Amino acid sequence: QTPFYAYDRALLRARTAELRAALPREVKLHYAMKANPMPALVGFMATLVDGVDVASAGELKVALDAGAAPAEISFAGPGKRDAELRQAVAAGVLVNLESRREIRPLAQASQELGLPARVAVRVNPDFELKGSGMKMGGGPKPFGVDAEAVPAVLREIADAGLAFEGFHLFAGSQNLKAEAICEAQRLSYALAVRLAGEAPSGVRTLNLGGGLGIPYFNGERRLNLSLIGENLTDIALHTARDMPGAALVLELG
């Protein structure tokens, strides 16, 4: 029947291996399930990557059923319902806070379930990823907490007794300009270091998003992964000094 989609496991394995070979070993790879939530594909990808990023309770169920470790599942996305936040706490996954509104239901769920509510703050950066297909920073956006409002949110997280773990910064998507991606990663890292000084505890994870583009159209060239790898190697060295013990995460579709 139509439509019909075929997925090549060998190609998926090869592309993941190619990416890992270009990146420093300190970087964790997460599969962003929104790119393709087909359960069989998610189950296969879960064996190749370090974690899974979900954007709904339905995706969370698929990730758990696929065998992804709850400790390495992150839940991002604006407009999370209270019931979804409760499911995230019950499952023990990391919630990327998109707004202050999520703090109260997370604290309530944590108290009622007797489980820690693991949270990271998704930051809407004060810059944008140049040349990206979808810009997620540099002005008002539906994603994340504006950078200047993050210190106040961190204080509310501490007051609510939530288990703070780190930051999520995603400046844009579908970018084929390695230099622009590297610049955004450096700016994201610098912003995270500044915000870490306001955090209620040490940073355990720093999610730098993705943005690595795919050449879909004639005339487009594949992204230069070697430049991305060199840049992240430098960032990893600084992370070991500035935020010891923090894991660097790339979240890719």
Side-chain angles (χ1 to χ4, degrees):
Q1 299 182 30
T2 58
F4 173 77
Y5 300 94
Y7 303 104
D8 188 329
R9 287 187 176 88
L11 183 56
L12 290 167
R13 186 183 290 111
R15 291 298 294 276
T16 305
E18 178 186 6
L19 184 58
R20 281 202 187 275
L23 300 178
R25 58 181 176 80
E26 293 89 348
V27 173
K28 290 185 175 183
L29 292 182
H30 279 204
Y31 175 57
M33 233 182 94
K34 63 178 72 68
N36 190 325
M38 179 184 176
L41 188 143
V42 176
F44 181 68
M45 289 302 299
T47 68
L48 303 178
V49 297
D50 304 300
V52 177
D53 178 73
V54 303
S56 69
E59 288 189 3
L60 174 58
K61 183 179 186 304
V62 172
L64 292 170
D65 288 347
E72 296 296 339
I73 295 176
S74 55
F75 186 178
K80 303 182 194 73
R81 301 191 306 273
D82 288 2
E84 290 181 304
L85 293 171
R86 184 181 179 89
Q87 285 174 274
V89 174
V93 306
L94 179 67
V95 175
N96 289 318
L97 283 177
E98 304 271 351
S99 72
R100 299 169 62 186
R101 190 208 70 80
E102 296 178 2
I103 295 175
R104 181 194 56 77
L106 281 169
Q108 184 175 347
S110 178
Q111 183 177 26
E112 292 175 356
L113 296 170
L115 296 168
R118 301 173 54 219
V119 301
V121 178
R122 182 168 181 176
V123 182
N124 174 28
D126 47 10
F127 57 87
E128 65 181 31
L129 175 52
K130 300 170 185 174
S132 62
M134 183 177 183
K135 294 179 174 61
M136 299 182 183
K141 295 290 186 295
F143 306 102
V145 180
D146 291 347
E148 62 270 19
V150 170
V153 169
L154 291 170
R155 289 191 291 272
E156 290 188 40
I157 287 172
D159 292 342
L162 305 185
F164 170 80
E165 295 194 11
F167 298 106
H168 177 285
L169 296 104
F170 198 172
S173 65
Q174 183 49 27
N175 196 298
L176 291 169
K177 298 178 180 178
E179 294 83 359
I181 293 174
C182 290
E183 180 186 13
Q185 289 174 342
R186 290 191 295 270
L187 291 171
S188 294
Y189 177 76
L191 176 57
V193 170
R194 293 200 303 272
L195 294 174
E198 308 280 350
S201 59
V203 174
R204 295 175 56 187
T205 181
L206 176 56
N207 187 328
L208 293 175
L212 310 190
I214 300 295
Y216 287 111
F217 304 107
N218 291 334
E220 291 184 336
R221 295 184 179 181
R222 290 189 65 188
L223 185 65
N224 186 336
L225 290 178
S226 63
L227 287 179
I228 305 293
E230 291 169 7
N231 189 59
L232 286 171
T233 297
D234 185 60
I235 289 176
L237 289 172
H238 283 83
T239 302
R241 181 197 66 197
D242 300 329
M243 293 181 281
L248 289 174
V249 176
L250 279 189
E251 169 196 312
L252 306 166

